[in-house]
Amino acid sequence: MTTVPVPHRVVGRRQETGDTVTLRLEPVDTALPDFLPGQFAMVHCFGRGEIPVSVSSVQATGGLAHTVRSVGAVSDGLCAAGVGDIVGIRGPYGTSWELQRARGRDVLVVAGGIGLAPLRPLILGALAEPAAYRRVNVLIGARTPDDLIARKEVESWVTAYTGVTVDQPDADWRGDVGVVSQLLGRAHFDPDDTTAFVCGPEPMIRATARELAHRGVPRDRIRVSLERNMRCATGHCGHCQLGPVLVCQAGPVVGWDLAEPLLSVREL
Amino acid sequence: MPPSMALRMNHALPHDHRERLLHVGREVSFPAGTRLFEEGRHADRFWIIRDGTAALDMHVPGRPTPVVETLGIGDLVGWSWLYEPYVWQLGAAAVTQLRAYEFDAVAVRLMCLDDPAFGQAVEHWVGRVLAHRLNAARARLVDLYGMYETKEPR
């Protein structure tokens, strides 16, 4: 694993929403080790800095891609990158979703906002092996219809149930309105034989994981991706420390049994 | 039992109370787009959804009526019928073809008065539905899916 940014060329760019872009990348020279779904990279915008971004596509299935929302100087720069531009990548870092642990079980994917991006390769992996998993459910929540990413792709997924809900509908929205956990009542899964994968902002993770635990999904089979500010990604700087855990190494994907007490502490 | 399932009539009411309630209910069906009730009007009935979805909306003067929540199978549509002044707090419409049990508010309130145990069970059930929806509304108020804070400097 390298600790210096490895140059990658932007070979594809898709505008997901008004402020979110997916960049498809190929190494200029040296290729990085393969990423696993759920892992992240430190993505470097030359002259501005670097930020942690989970992979929204992995090399093994369709090529490396990152989905970035413009929220600051570095992400602004990355979102402005065009085909042919060079960005730096170091990684892979962190833990993965470990989809294989769900083999033979129902799979429940719950995404909030841009949290769908890190879950995308996991969903594609599960759908690529329909015999390996029981029912695959995908629940998606977003603030507004305009905040939904990969809309066309979501429509193409063949699942037991795919539900989409928004907080604030516009005049054209004919779908569900409300919190994403309300869709659990329509999903097809056997709680004590389900592995759940949850990604989104922490308030959404907490609300969803608690509801899943109430429904009987074992807490260690509720896998969540923690959103923390990784800086070095190698466990040295401590920026991502969450209680006793360095998220860049023990995470970002952890079981709810580990995450719940940490996310319940105020001002940690 | 998960909170949202426990709120369904089948789980929330003991068997005999549920049978009594269903005895005064009738099966109804609404095409998509049907208005079930309007905000500010007298709340004279309520529904339990058997199939389909309904949307709760709120009147905003001079603007399109925004949907604030969607309800599905097993959900209670309408609680204003139980509490004075019996005026709908929101509006509701069928989003899809809707099949439901419909109950007359006055009849159920009289049953509640006539049998305190039945009344307590119904009030407890509707109160829990209200608490659940209040909690969901609060969760949405904290911008559940938004960028919660930006740590990256601009």
Side-chain angles (χ1 to χ4, degrees):
Chain A
M1 188 195 323
T2 177
T3 53
V4 292
V6 174
H8 279 63
R9 181 171 283 109
V10 177
V11 295
R13 181 184 190 278
R14 185 172 67 206
Q15 191 79 36
E16 299 279 1
T17 69
D19 62 359
T20 303
V21 168
T22 295
L23 300 176
R24 195 162 291 281
L25 305 169
E26 283 182 1
V28 172
D29 189 9
T30 312
L32 292 171
D34 279 0
F35 282 76
L36 296 171
Q39 288 189 306
F40 71 97
M42 297 303 294
V43 184
H44 201 104
C45 178
F46 293 109
R48 295 200 183 197
E50 63 178 3
I51 54 172
V53 189
S54 294
V55 285
S56 56
S57 176
V58 294
Q59 293 100 324
T61 53
L64 186 65
H66 290 283
T67 300
V68 184
R69 174 176 281 166
S70 172
V71 294
V74 181
S75 51
D76 279 354
L78 291 172
C79 285
V83 172
D85 287 350
I86 304 293
V87 300
I89 301 284
R90 59 185 178 99
Y93 294 119
T95 53
S96 74
W97 291 113
E98 297 182 10
L99 173 64
Q100 67 278 6
R101 285 172 57 185
R103 291 181 91 85
R105 294 200 174 97
D106 290 330
V107 172
L108 184 61
V109 178
V110 189
I114 198 175
L116 179 61
L119 288 163
R120 182 180 166 274
L122 172 134
I123 295 166
L124 295 179
L127 296 180
E129 286 188 275
Y133 306 96
R134 291 175 65 197
R135 296 162 293 191
V136 177
N137 298 268
V138 180
L139 315 183
I140 299 166
R143 189 165 30 176
T144 71
D146 287 341
D147 291 315
L148 289 166
I149 64 171
R151 291 178 76 162
K152 288 285 178 199
E153 189 179 341
V154 169
E155 289 171 14
S156 73
W157 290 338
V158 180
T159 63
Y161 174 73
T162 298
V164 181
T165 185
V166 299
D167 265 0
Q168 301 159 26
D170 57 23
D172 299 326
W173 181 253
R174 295 290 175 271
D176 284 291
V177 177
V179 292
V180 71
S181 54
Q182 79 178 20
L183 299 177
L184 288 170
R186 295 184 222 162
H188 307 290
F189 66 103
D190 181 5
D192 56 12
D193 201 17
T194 291
T195 303
F197 303 92
V198 186
C199 187
E202 283 178 8
M204 170 265 170
I205 289 177
R206 269 206 312 275
T208 304
R210 283 177 179 165
E211 174 75 14
L212 288 169
H214 273 303
R215 284 176 177 261
V217 180
R219 286 148 52 96
D220 62 333
R221 278 201 264 114
I222 302 171
R223 305 275 289 162
V224 305
S225 184
L226 299 177
E227 196 179 74
R228 278 289 179 261
N229 190 21
M230 267 74 87
R231 193 66 62 86
C232 72
T234 56
H236 287 90
C237 75
H239 270 92
C240 63
Q241 186 167 356
L242 188 61
V245 171
L246 288 170
V247 175
C248 70
Q249 296 204 302
V253 180
V254 298
W256 182 237
D257 52 335
L258 173 65
E260 184 182 22
L262 300 176
L263 294 187
S264 300
V265 178
R266 287 180 185 274
E267 304 293 333
L268 193 68
Chain B
M1 184 183 300
S4 50
M5 281 183 72
L7 299 176
R8 294 182 177 180
M9 181 182 64
N10 285 356
H11 298 292
L13 293 180
H15 178 264
D16 52 339
H17 293 333
R18 188 168 71 241
E19 290 300 309
R20 282 193 63 192
L21 188 61
L22 284 172
H23 191 66
V24 298
R26 66 189 187 102
E27 294 183 14
V28 293
S29 179
F30 302 101
T34 306
R35 296 293 298 176
L36 299 180
F37 54 83
E38 297 290 349
E39 191 176 343
R41 302 275 175 82
H42 182 57
D44 61 350
R45 64 196 73 189
F46 66 97
W47 298 265
I48 302 289
I49 297 177
R50 300 174 61 213
D51 192 28
T53 55
L56 300 176
D57 52 38
M58 181 174 254
H59 178 62
V60 181
R63 296 176 59 185
T65 302
V67 172
V68 296
E69 194 163 352
T70 309
L71 304 178
I73 296 171
D75 283 334
L76 170 70
V77 183
W79 53 263
S80 306
W81 58 276
L82 186 57
Y83 304 108
E84 290 182 272
Y86 311 127
V87 170
W88 294 119
Q89 301 294 305
L90 296 169
V95 177
T96 64
Q97 169 80 19
L98 194 70
R99 292 193 311 131
Y101 292 114
E102 183 177 274
F103 301 89
D104 180 82
V106 174
V108 176
R109 287 203 302 268
L110 286 173
M111 288 165 65
C112 292
L113 285 173
D114 184 55
D115 180 349
F118 175 81
Q120 189 179 29
V122 169
E123 288 193 3
H124 185 60
W125 165 47
V126 178
R128 289 171 68 196
V129 171
L130 255 174
H132 183 74
R133 290 191 186 158
L134 179 63
N135 200 34
R138 284 173 171 165
R140 292 173 62 202
L141 276 177
V142 300
D143 194 1
L144 201 61
Y145 312 111
M147 293 301 292
Y148 216 56
E149 60 185 82
T150 301
K151 291 170 182 156
E152 188 193 341
R154 278 195 180 263

